[in-house]
C-alpha cells in the first residue's frame, strides 16, 4: 500500500481499483465496529486470495497457553487472545453455476470501497466478468447498528449486465473459526447447538476455558429489484458448528437481485439465555427493517459527530486523518460498559492480544473525557478499580511483593497479567503510574472528586505501596533508586533509574498521601472504611514518604537535561538525522542487542514525563530536553508522534508539530510502519485528537479552569473542535486571524486564553 | 533422591533397593558412554513407571525449529537438539507368559545397580516376584566398548527361583523415538530401511534436515547356563522403523537362561555405507566374544585411570566424587575427533541442546590437556578454528558486524548459533574471550606454538575485530565502554561495562596484537598468508589498540574492588548469609526481574577474571574481591564452586575450599540442585578436577615451568594426581607432612614448589 492508495475525502475512506496486494490492508482500514462487536472488512463472498479473516466480540477472549522459548519464574500461564469470533457475514454466491471469487474471475472492474464515517456504513461495489462470461455489477452495503448493538445488516445487490443469471445465494454462519496467532493451533470454540428455521439460524458455541457462550445468528431475505420475493431455502446444510442456507433465484439482465442478511451475536456476558436473546434481536431488527435501521445509524453517528467532530479547513488529508481516528475510537469503545476497555487494535485485528494497556490511561482517557459524558471516563477508571484485587495478587504471587502492593498488568482482559516477556511484563512497571495519573487527570478535568473516596483511593494506596517496595536504597547514592526497569521507551531493557519511572513513582506516593489527607478531612467515613480495609497506618505512610522525598533522578548538569536512565550519556550519541535511512526502522533492521545499546528512542520517555507533569518544569527545561531527546527518537511506536506534536506546538516549532500531527493522524491510512494489514493502531488515535486539542489548541485544565493558547499550522485555513467540560459544551474555532469560542446553552464559561480571562457564552467570543 | 542415596565406594557408584521415585535420577547417574555414543541407564525390559529414555550419538543432532514467545530480530532459526537416537538396548521379556515390568510385578527384592568406574561397566541385579507367582533372579551387565566404539554389549541373565520358567526374549531395535524436549513435537528421524536375518537386524534411518544416516544394529544369542543354545527366533516382527525378534526357551528352576545382545550404531559421519559397516562391526564383536570384549574394556579403562586417576585417602565420598567426575568426562569425550565437543550433559540427557558452550574452553581444556595427549586439546581448539567462518557469518548476518569480526555462538553443534534468548545469545559475548584464552592457555601449558601460526592467529584476529567493533567510545567517561552485555553471572542481563567482559576484551586485542608480531618475526610466511587472507592492515591494528589501551574498568576505590558492572553498588547489598534459606535457589523462588535487581551472583564473574589472569592482580586484590563477591554468590551454576574452591585455597581458606570442592565433586551424586534426573553436569566436572590440581595442588604453569603450592584439607589423609606436562608424566602425592613428586621415564623435570626449584625424576622427590 502506498501513500496515495486511500483517496482524499473529507468524510469517507475510499479505495478505488482492485489490488489483491492491498486486500489485507484494506480489510483493516475498512473495519466496522459498534463498541459491542466488530469485523475486518472481509468480503462476504468466497475470496481465495490472501486475506486475514476477523470478527470480534467485545469482552470475549481466550486465555491461550503461553509460548516461550525459556520459561522464567513469574511468567503468567496464559496470554489472553483477542478471539476471532464466529463468522456471520459469509455469503457464498454462484452466478450461472460459477462460484463468485474476485481472485479467480476473469476481470474485476470499477472496484470501489467506501467507509462512510459520517453515516457509519461500509459499501463495496464492483463489476466482475466471470469465467463463464457472465458480467455482473455488485453493490454491498454493511453496517453494525449502534442502537441495536447485537446486530448488523448486509445488503448484497447483484445486477447481471450481459445476460440473465441464475443466482444461488449461500448465506452461512460458521463457528469453526480459528485465530491466526494461536500459539499452539488449538481450537478456541466448542460448538454447542445449532438451531434453524426457514429464514433464520442460530449457532451457539462457547469458548474453551473461559466458557463465554455466544449465539451467532442470521436472518435472510431474498429480494428482486428491492421487493421481498419470499422464497425459502432450497437446502439447509448444517454441521455441529456451521449452518448454510441455499437460495436459488433467476434474475434478468439489467434487473437487480439482492440478499439481505441480518446477523450478529448475543453473549452470556449480557444474557442468561443467549438463544432467546438472539431470537428477540432478530425480531426487533426485522420489524425495524433495513431502511429504518440505516436511518437510525445515520442519526446515531450524527449525534456522535455533533460532539466529537474536529474540522480542518484547507487540508483534506489532515481532515480525513482526524475523522478516521475519531471514527475508529467511537467504533471501538462506547463507554457504556465498565467491563470493557480499548484494545490496541480494537476490532481490526488480533495482534497484541488483551484489551487493556497503559494506552488507555495515558492516551485514551482525555479523548473520552472531552467528547463523551464523564461517566465514560469514570467507567474506564472503574475497570481498574474492579481489577485491583488481581493487581495485588499479581504483585504478590508472580513478583514477590506483599502487604497489598498492587502492580497492574501490562496487558490484560480480566485483571490478570497475560503478557510474557520479563523485560516488559515484569519490568515495564511505569504502567502503574499512568493508572494513578488517570485518577488525578479525571478529577482535574471533570471536577468530580467523588470517585476518589469511593474507589480511587484504594487504587492509589495499592500503587503507592508498590512503589515503596519496589524502590531500594542505594548507599552509594544515598538516595532511593529503582533498578531493573523498562521505561516507556521499550528500546531499553532492564535499566536503572529510568527518569520517567522514578518521577512518576515519587509522584504516585505524594499524590496518594495528599488524597489520603483530603479524604480524611472531607470524607471521614470513607477514610475510615478504606484505611481499615487496607490496613494502612500513619507509620506506613511515613515509610512511603521517605522514598518519595529522597528519590534519585539522573541528571546531566552539563547538558541541563534529565537523563533517561543511568548511563545514557555513555552511548554513542549519533542523532537520528545522521543515521543512514537504510537502517530504519531499527527494530526491523537491527538485532535486539544493537537496538538496546543504541541511543535511539522508540517513543517519548523523559518527554512523556514532561507531558504528564508540564507544570512541574519550566519552558526552558522542556526546550532543552525536547531538543536533546527528540533528536534520538525514531518514533517506531504509534504512541510517540502525538506527544512530540503537542510539545513542538508548545515550543512554537509549528512545522515539526504539523509533521508529527500528520504522522500520527495518517499512521494507518498511509501505512507509515508497513503493518496496517495486521490491524489499525486504535489507542494511538486518541493521541491524534490530543495533538489538535492540546497541541494546536493548547487546551489545558488548571485550577478548575480551561486554558487555551491556540496556534495553527500554516498548511491549514482553520480548524475547530468541541469539548465537553463539566457538562458545558464549548466549541473552539481557530483560523490564522482569530479564535472563536462558543458555549452551548445559557450558562457562561470563563476560560483563559493566552493567559487572559475570557467569558465564553452562546454568542461567539472572538479573540484576535 | 537424598544425599545418602548413592552408597559411598571408592570405585563404584552403587544404588541399593528399588525406589521408583529415583529411577530417572539413577538413569542419569548410571549413564554409559564411550565418546562415540552413550545412553541413560534405562532398563532393557519394559518399564511402565516414570522414566526418561535416552540414547545419544556423538555429533548427531537435530536443528529443531526455534520456539519463542516474541520473535526478535537476529534470533537463529533453529535450536540444535541433542538427538534421542534409536534404541538398541531394548529386550522385552515374558516369564511364564507375564511381561516383566518392575513397575507392576508383585515385589522387587535386592535391587542393586553398580556402575563400576574402574572397569567401565554397569550392572543391575534384582529379584522379582511376578503376579503369576514366578520368582526370578536377574543380573544384567552392559558396557559400551571403548575399543570398538560403535558397539556395546548386554548380557541379561535370568534364574527362576521357585519353579521352572518359560522365558520369551523379545530383543528389539527401534528408530521410532522422539525427544522429550522437541519444541513442536516433530519427528526427528525418517526411517529408510530394515534388514534382518536370523541372528541380527539393522534399521537404517536418517535425521530430517541434517540428513545424518545411522544404522542401528543388534545381534542376539540365547544361552543356557552360559552355553550358546543356538536357537533361532520363533518370530521376527518389523515395521518401517522397528525390528523385534522373539525367542522362546524353557529353563529349570535354579538354572540360568541368558540373552546376549550386541548392539550399536554406524553413522554416515564415519562411513559411506553404514549398513556394511554395521555388518562388519557385528562380525568383529561376535568374533571377539563377550569375555574378550569385557577384558579389553577393563584394560582400556585401566589405561585411562593410569593417567587420569586422582586418589584421595581418608574421605570415601570425596574419592567417589572425583572419580565419578573423571569417569564421566572420559565417557563423554575421547578427543579423537575434532568434529566433536563436550556437551554440557554429555550422553546423560537432552537438556541445553547443542554440544559446545564456553564451558569447553573455560573449564574443560585444562583437564584434557593434563590427562591426555596434547593432541586432544589441540583438537578442541581446531573445532573452533573450523567454525571460524560461521562465527564471522554469525556476527555479520545476525548482529550487524563487519570486516571479518567473529562472534562465536553461545551454543552450537556445527558452528551456527542455535540459542535464542537475546540476553544470552546476543549479549553473553564474553564467550569469545574464553575461546581466545584457550589458545593462550594451550600454548602456555603445552609449549606447542605451532597451533598459533597454523590456525589460532586467524581466530584471534576475528575475535579482536569483534571487540574493537563492539566497544564504543563514551564521551562522558572519555574511555571505551562495552554496553549491553551479560557477563558470566547470568543473574544480570543487559548491563554496561561488565568488568570481566571489558577485561577479557582488552586482553584479546592485546594478545592478538602480540601474536601478530610474534608470528611476523618467527613465521613470516604464515604471517603473510594470514594477513592477506583476512585483509588486515597495520592501521586497523592501531585502531584496535586504541580501544584496548583506553578501556574503562568499573572500580570502587573505597572498597578496593573492581565492580562487576556499572551501578553494582546501587543494589541492596544484603549478603547471602543474611538471605532467608527459604528464598533459595533464587532462580526457582523469585521472578526474573527480582533476581536481576538483587546483588546475587550465579557464578564467578569478577572472580572468573581473577582466575584466568591471576598474575595480573595481587593477592590482596584477590582477597578483597573474593571476600566481597563470594558473599553475594549463590552458586546456582554448576560452574561456580570450582573457581571459588581454587581461590579459597590460594587465600588459605581451606575449610571453604573443601566445602566448595565437595559441592562441585558431588553435585550430581548428591543432587544439590534437584535436577539430576535431567542429566549430569558434565562440563563442570572438569572444574572438580581443577579444584584438586590447581586448588589444593596449587599447580600453575609460568614461564614454561610447572609450579606447585600444595595444600591439603584437614578432612583428608592424602591425595595424589598425575599430569602430562609436555610429554612427561609427573605424579604428585600430597599428605599432611609431605609432598612427593615422581616423573615417569628417565628425564628430569625441574619444577617450582612453593617458590623453590625442585628437580623431579623417577625417584621420589620429597618436600616437607
Amino acid at each position: 500500500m502506498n501513500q496515495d492508495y486511500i483517496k482524499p475525502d473529507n468524510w469517507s475512506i475510499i479505495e478505488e481499483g482492485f489490488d489483491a496486494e492491498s486486500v489485507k490492508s484494506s480489510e483493516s482500514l475498512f473495519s466496522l465496529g459498534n463498541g459491542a462487536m466488530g469485523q475486518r472488512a472481509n468480503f462476504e463472498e468466497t475470496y481465495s486470495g490472501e486475506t486475514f479473516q476477523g470478527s470480534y466480540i467485545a469482552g470475549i477472549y481466550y486465555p491461550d497457553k503461553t509460548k516461550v522459548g525459556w520459561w522464567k519464574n513469574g511468567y503468567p500461564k496464559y496470554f489472553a487472545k483477542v478471539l476471532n469470533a464466529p463468522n456471520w457475514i459469509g455469503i457464498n454466491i454462484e452466478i450461472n453455476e460459477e462460484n463468485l471469487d474476485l481472485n479467480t474471475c476473469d476481470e474485476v472492474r470499477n472496484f470501489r470501497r467506501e467507509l462512510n464515517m459520517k453515516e457509519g456504513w461500509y459499501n463495496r461495489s464492483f463489476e466482475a466478468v466471470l469465467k463463464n462470461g457472465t458480467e455482473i455489477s455488485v453493490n454491498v452495503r454493511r453496517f453494525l447498528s449502534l442502537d441495536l448493538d447485537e446486530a448488523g445488516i448486509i445488503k448484497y445487490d447483484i445486477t447481471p449486465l450481459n445476460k440473465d443469471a441464475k443466482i444461488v445465494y449461500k448465506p452461512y454462519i460458521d463457528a469453526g473459526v480459528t485465530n491466526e496467532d494461536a500459539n499452539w493451533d488449538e481450537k478456541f470454540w466448542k460448538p454447542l447447538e445449532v438451531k434453524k428455521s426457514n429464514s433464520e439460524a442460530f449457532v451457539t458455541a462457547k469458548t474453551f476455558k473461559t466458557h463465554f457462550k455466544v449465539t451467532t445468528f442470521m436472518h435472510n431475505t431474498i429480494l428482486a429489484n428491492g421487493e421481498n420475493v419470499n422464497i425459502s431455502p432450497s437446502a439447509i446444510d448444517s454441521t455441529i458448528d456451521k449452518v448454510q442456507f441455499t437460495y436459488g433465484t433467476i434474475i434478468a439482465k439489467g434487473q437487480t437481485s439482492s440478499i439481505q442478511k441480518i446477523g450478529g451475536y448475543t453473549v452470556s456476558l449480557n444474557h442468561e439465555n443467549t438463544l432467546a436473546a438472539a431470537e428477540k434481536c432478530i425480531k426487533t431488527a426485522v420489524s425495524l427493517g433495513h431502511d429504518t435501521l440505516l436511518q437510525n445509524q445515520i442519526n446515531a453517528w450524527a449525534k456522535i459527530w455533533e460532539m466529537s467532530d474536529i474540522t480542518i479547513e484547507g487540508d483534506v488529508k489532515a481532515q480525513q486523518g482526524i475523522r478516521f481516528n475519531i471514527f475508529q475510537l467511537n467504533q471501538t469503545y462506547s463507554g457504556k460498559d465498565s467491563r470493557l476497555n480499548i484494545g490496541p487494535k480494537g476490532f481490526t485485528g488480533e495482534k497484541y492480544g488483551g484489551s487493556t494497556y497503559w494506552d488507555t490511561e495515558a492516551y485514551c482517557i482525555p479523548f473520552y473525557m472531552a467528547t463523551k459524558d464523564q461517566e465514560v471516563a469514570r467507567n474506564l477508571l472503574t475497570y481498574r478499580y474492579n481489577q485491583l484485587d488481581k493487581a495485588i495478587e499479581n504483585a504478590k504471587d508472580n513478583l514477590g511483593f506483599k502487604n497489598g502492593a498492587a502492580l497492574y498488568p501490562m496487558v490484560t482482559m480480566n485483571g490478570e497479567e497475560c503478557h510474557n516477556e520479563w523485560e516488559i511484563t515484569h519490568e515495564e512497571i511505569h504502567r502503574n503510574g499512568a493508572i494513578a495519573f488517570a485518577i488525578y487527570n479525571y478529577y482535574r478535568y471533570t471536577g468530580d472528586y467523588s470517585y476518589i473516596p469511593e474507589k480511587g483511593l484504594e487504587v492509589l494506596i495499592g500503587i503507592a505501596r508498590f512503589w515503596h517496595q519496589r524502590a531500594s536504597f542505594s548507599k552509594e547514592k544515598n538516595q532511593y533508586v529503582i533498578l531493573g526497569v523498562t521505561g516507556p521507551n521499550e528500546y531499553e531493557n532492564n535499566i536503572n533509574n529510568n527518569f520517567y519511572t522514578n518521577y512518576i513513582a515519587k509522584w504516585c506516593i505524594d499524590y496518594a498521601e495528599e488524597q489520603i489527607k483530603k479524604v480524611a478531612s472531607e470524607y471521614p467515613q470513607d477514610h475510615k472504611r478504606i484505611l481499615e480495609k487496607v490496613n494502612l497506618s500513619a507509620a506506613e505512610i511515613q515509610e512511603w514518604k521517605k522514598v518519595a522525598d529522597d528519590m534519585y533522578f539522573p541528571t546531566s548538569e552539563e547538558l541541563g537535561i534529565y537523563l533517561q536512565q543511568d548511563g545514557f550519556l555513555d552511548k554513542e550519541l549519533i542523532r537520528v538525522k545522521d543515521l543512514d535511512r537504510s537502517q530504519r526502522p531499527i527494530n526491523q533492521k537491527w538485532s535486539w542487542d544493537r537496538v538496546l545499546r543504541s541511543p535511539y528512542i522508540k517513543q517519548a520517555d523523559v518527554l512523556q514525563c514532561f507531558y504528564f507533569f508540564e507544570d512541574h518544569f519550566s519552558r526552558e527545561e522542556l526546550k532543552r530536553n525536547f531538543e536533546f531527546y527528540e533528536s534520538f527518537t525514531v518514533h517506531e511506536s504509534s504512541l510517540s508522534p502525538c506527544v512530540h506534536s503537542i510539545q513542538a506546538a508548545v515550543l512554537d516549532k509549528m512545522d515539526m508539530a504539523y509533521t508529527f500531527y500528520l504522522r500520527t493522524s495518517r499512521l494507518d491510512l498511509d501505512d507509515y510502519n508497513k503493518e496496517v494489514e495486521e490491524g489499525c493502531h486504535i489507542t494511538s488515535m486518541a493521541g491524534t485528537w490530543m495533538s489538535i486539542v492540546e497541541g494546536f489548541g493548547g487546551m489545558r485544565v488548571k485550577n478548575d479552569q480551561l486554558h487555551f493558547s491556540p496556534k495553527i499550522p500554516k498548511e491549514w485555513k482553520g480548524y475547530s473542535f468541541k469539548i465537553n467540560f463539566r457538562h458545558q459544551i464549548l466549541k473552539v474555532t481557530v483560523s490564522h486571524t482569530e479564535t472563536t469560542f462558543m458555549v452551548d446553552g445559557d450558562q457562561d464559561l470563563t476560560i483563559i486564553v493566552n493567559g487572559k480571562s475570557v467569558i465564553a457564552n452562546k454568542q461567539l467570543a472572538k479573540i484576535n
Side-chain angles (χ1 to χ4, degrees), chain A:
Chain A
M1 234 184 72
N2 61 48
Q3 297 210 352
D4 295 323
Y5 193 77
I6 296 299
K7 305 301 157 206
D9 185 278
N10 281 330
W11 273 112
S12 285
I13 306 302
I14 296 166
E15 175 188 17
E16 285 174 355
F18 182 66
D19 173 12
E21 295 289 303
S22 295
V23 165
K24 285 163 78 174
S25 299
S26 294
E27 285 173 343
S28 298
L29 291 174
F30 291 84
S31 291
L32 288 177
N34 66 359
M37 64 172 155
Q39 305 149 348
R40 292 170 55 79
N42 303 131
F43 296 168
E44 289 80 2
E45 76 279 3
T46 305
Y47 182 65
S48 61
E50 280 281 302
T51 167
F52 171 21
Q53 298 285 309
S55 297
Y56 313 101
I57 306 172
I60 305 291
Y61 65 95
Y62 184 80
D64 202 13
K65 205 178 94 195
T66 297
K67 184 177 74 171
V68 297
W70 303 88
W71 190 267
K72 294 225 160 76
N73 229 22
Y75 277 163
K77 292 193 182 54
Y78 72 86
F79 186 87
K81 288 284 160 74
V82 168
L83 192 54
N84 187 18
N87 173 352
W88 65 257
I89 66 160
I91 308 171
N92 292 321
I93 290 169
E94 285 167 27
I95 310 282
N96 290 333
E97 279 156 21
E98 179 178 332
N99 196 32
L100 174 61
D101 177 351
L102 296 195
N103 191 47
T104 59
C105 65
D106 276 353
E107 193 184 346
V108 181
R109 298 187 297 235
N110 299 325
F111 182 90
R112 184 176 190 275
R113 301 199 205 222
E114 177 179 357
L115 181 65
N116 187 308
M117 302 185 287
K118 188 171 185 183
E119 302 189 344
W121 47 259
Y122 160 57
N123 200 89
R124 179 170 58 107
S125 56
F126 59 86
E127 290 168 22
V129 182
L130 277 73
K131 285 198 165 28
N132 61 20
T134 318
E135 298 185 23
I136 55 169
S137 167
V138 170
N139 191 81
V140 196
R141 176 166 301 192
R142 189 160 98 201
F143 60 91
L144 303 182
S145 171
L146 284 180
D147 289 348
L148 194 66
D149 69 3
E150 292 169 328
I153 190 159
I154 299 167
K155 191 156 166 290
Y156 199 112
D157 303 334
I158 304 175
T159 309
L161 299 175
N162 64 340
K163 54 173 91 165
D164 300 348
K166 182 181 159 205
I167 300 178
V168 179
Y169 294 105
K170 294 183 173 176
Y172 62 87
I173 44 183
D174 180 8
V177 294
T178 55
N179 264 53
E180 288 214 347
D181 69 348
N183 282 341
W184 306 94
D185 294 330
E186 285 176 359
K187 274 254 179 198
F188 295 169
W189 290 100
K190 178 183 166 67
L192 294 178
E193 187 191 353
V194 169
K195 189 182 167 185
K196 64 236 175 189
S197 72
N198 259 351
S199 59
E200 57 195 30
F202 307 86
V203 175
T204 303
K206 73 174 185 183
T207 56
F208 286 103
K209 298 188 193 173
T210 35
H211 307 299
F212 293 114
K213 201 162 128 186
V214 172
T215 295
T216 308
F217 57 83
M218 67 172 176
H219 173 282
N220 304 293
T221 314
I222 308 297
L223 305 99
N225 296 316
E227 294 299 318
N228 188 340
V229 293
N230 289 313
I231 57 169
S232 294
S234 59
I236 296 179
D237 301 299
S238 67
T239 63
I240 50 164
D241 55 12
K242 187 172 174 179
V243 187
Q244 179 173 275
F245 287 7
T246 302
Y247 299 91
T249 184
I250 291 174
I251 194 88
K253 168 180 162 184
Q255 308 284 300
T256 299
S257 168
S258 311
I259 179 168
Q260 178 190 290
K261 184 178 187 185
I262 292 168
Y265 311 107
T266 48
V267 301
S268 57
L269 279 169
N270 302 321
H271 301 284
E272 185 90 2
N273 185 336
T274 55
L275 184 59
E279 285 168 337
K280 197 175 148 203
C281 182
I282 289 181
K283 213 171 150 188
T284 309
V286 169
S287 75
L288 288 168
H290 175 273
D291 295 349
T292 306
L293 282 168
L294 179 58
Q295 191 53 55
N296 291 350
Q297 180 79 346
I298 294 168
N299 297 345
W301 274 103
K303 221 169 130 187
I304 291 172
W305 288 115
E306 171 61 25
M307 185 57 230
S308 61
D309 191 24
I310 290 181
T311 67
I312 296 174
E313 272 180 85
D315 189 340
V316 178
K317 283 193 147 195
Q319 174 70 77
Q320 187 179 37
I322 186 64
R323 285 203 173 120
F324 182 67
N325 287 265
I326 295 169
F327 180 72
Q328 286 292 0
L329 286 164
N330 278 285
Q331 288 209 119
T332 302
Y333 182 72
S334 70
K336 286 190 256 182
D337 187 340
S338 68
R339 294 170 303 181
L340 304 182
N341 212 290
I342 308 148
K345 295 274 174 213
F347 298 115
T348 72
E350 300 170 0
K351 204 183 170 185
Y352 297 130
S355 78
T356 316
Y357 289 62
W358 73 299
D359 304 26
T360 294
E361 284 78 10
Y363 299 92
C364 298
I365 278 185
F367 168 80
Y368 289 104
M369 279 197 303
T371 67
K372 304 280 172 198
D373 190 88
Q374 73 186 36
E375 199 57 33
V376 171
R378 196 177 163 117
N379 273 343
L380 287 170
L381 300 188
T382 298
Y383 177 94
R384 296 291 193 179
Y385 174 74
N386 290 339
Q387 297 182 351
L388 176 60
D389 288 350
K390 290 200 170 150
I392 292 171
E393 242 175 73
N394 176 42
K396 181 164 165 277
D397 298 347
N398 292 333
L399 302 169
F401 289 82
K402 56 194 178 184
N403 188 31
L407 177 62
Y408 279 92
M410 190 63 202
V411 181
T412 193
M413 273 289 186
N414 67 349
E416 289 166 13
E417 176 63 80
C418 60
H419 189 279
N420 56 282
E421 277 182 309
W422 62 265
E423 60 271 29
I424 307 281
T425 312
H426 297 163
E427 295 206 339
E428 205 170 329
I429 53 177
H430 68 79
R431 58 191 185 252
N432 245 7
I435 290 164
F437 181 81
I439 295 172
Y440 159 77
N441 200 16
Y442 173 78
Y443 168 56
R444 175 173 65 173
Y445 189 87
T446 64
D448 169 23
Y449 194 72
S450 70
Y451 180 74
I452 293 181
E454 273 176 40
K455 297 175 175 168
L457 190 61
E458 281 180 57
V459 173
L460 294 174
I461 290 169
I463 288 175
R465 281 175 157 165
F466 172 81
W467 290 120
H468 165 240
Q469 292 174 37
R470 185 60 168 75
S472 56
F473 189 76
S474 162
K475 278 197 186 165
E476 182 82 356
K477 295 197 159 73
N478 202 28
Q479 281 191 295
Y480 285 91
V481 294
I482 301 183
L483 305 180
V485 305
T486 295
N489 171 22
E490 290 173 322
Y491 287 177
E492 303 276 359
N493 290 158
N494 195 41
I495 55 175
N496 296 335
N497 295 308
N498 173 254
F499 174 73
Y500 174 84
T501 306
N502 286 22
Y503 198 92
I504 210 160
K506 171 192 165 52
W507 177 87
C508 285
I509 291 177
D510 288 341
Y511 187 65
E513 191 233 359
E514 278 168 31
Q515 299 317 306
I516 292 166
K517 279 190 193 148
K518 184 165 172 177
V519 172
S521 82
E522 296 177 17
Y523 299 81
Q525 283 192 327
D526 285 312
H527 182 260
K528 184 164 180 289
R529 172 182 58 79
I530 293 166
L531 265 66
E532 277 172 14
K533 180 175 172 191
V534 305
N535 195 20
L536 178 67
S537 67
E540 187 186 336
I541 300 172
Q542 283 315 305
E543 290 299 310
W544 301 354
K545 282 292 286 179
K546 275 192 207 168
V547 171
D549 292 347
D550 213 4
M551 182 66 81
Y552 163 78
F553 300 108
T555 308
S556 166
E557 297 294 341
E558 194 189 331
L559 299 175
I561 59 169
Y562 296 103
L563 291 181
Q564 187 180 273
Q565 72 232 23
D566 280 350
F568 189 86
L569 296 180
D570 278 334
K571 292 170 178 278
E572 273 192 305
L573 295 171
I574 297 166
R575 294 191 152 71
V576 175
K577 69 178 173 55
D578 300 321
L579 176 66
D580 195 319
R581 277 294 315 177
S582 70
Q583 303 297 298
R584 295 172 63 187
I586 60 169
N587 73 358
Q588 289 172 28
K589 300 296 172 71
W590 288 358
S591 63
W592 192 242
D593 59 309
R594 204 170 165 198
V595 170
L596 291 178
R597 65 181 184 272
S598 82
Y600 302 118
I601 299 173
K602 186 182 177 193
Q603 72 181 91
D605 189 300
V606 171
L607 298 181
Q608 184 75 34
C609 186
F610 275 75
Y611 170 67
F612 276 172
F613 303 108
E614 195 178 42
D615 291 344
H616 298 198
F617 306 98
S618 69
R619 193 175 188 278
E620 288 62 42
E621 280 181 299
L622 173 63
K623 185 163 185 286
R624 282 196 302 271
N625 282 276
F626 182 90
E627 287 174 356
F628 183 79
Y629 287 110
E630 198 284 321
S631 73
F632 297 108
T633 302
V634 287
H635 303 291
E636 291 175 12
S637 160
S638 65
L639 300 171
S640 190
C642 57
V643 171
H644 286 81
S645 180
I646 295 167
Q647 293 177 336
V650 169
L651 295 170
D652 290 315
K653 297 171 187 284
M654 287 300 287
D655 286 348
M656 217 176 192
Y658 178 71
T659 305
F660 283 128
Y661 165 76
L662 266 199
R663 181 159 174 164
T664 183
S665 74
R666 296 189 61 88
L667 177 72
D668 291 321
L669 291 178
D670 293 339
D671 201 9
Y672 274 87
N673 292 350
K674 307 289 167 222
E675 57 182 17
V676 76
E677 63 181 40
E678 296 170 345
C680 298
H681 297 82
I682 300 300
T683 45
S684 73
M685 293 179 175
T688 306
W689 179 90
M690 299 194 306
S691 298
I692 293 186
V693 176
E694 302 181 9
F696 301 139
M699 186 196 80
R700 302 288 187 276
V701 180
K702 299 181 192 177
N703 305 318
D704 296 310
Q705 274 196 311
L706 275 175
H707 291 233
F708 295 90
S709 48
K711 294 172 186 177
I712 181 168
K714 65 176 187 298
E715 292 79 0
W716 297 357
K717 288 188 185 149
Y719 64 97
S720 73
F721 58 87
K722 274 190 187 171
I723 56 168
N724 174 358
F725 182 70
R726 304 190 179 185
H727 314 298
Q728 284 183 284
I729 311 293
L730 175 71
K731 182 170 182 181
V732 182
T733 308
V734 183
S735 74
H736 287 280
T737 53
E738 61 180 27
T739 303
T740 63
F741 298 90
M742 196 164 71
V743 180
D744 259 15
D746 293 326
Q747 220 182 317
D748 289 355
L749 178 65
T750 305
I751 58 176
I752 313 290
V753 183
N754 294 326
K756 288 180 192 153
S757 191
V758 173
I759 295 172
N761 54 34
K762 63 183 170 182
Q763 309 299 325
L764 272 188
K766 283 193 195 181
I767 309 291
N768 295 316

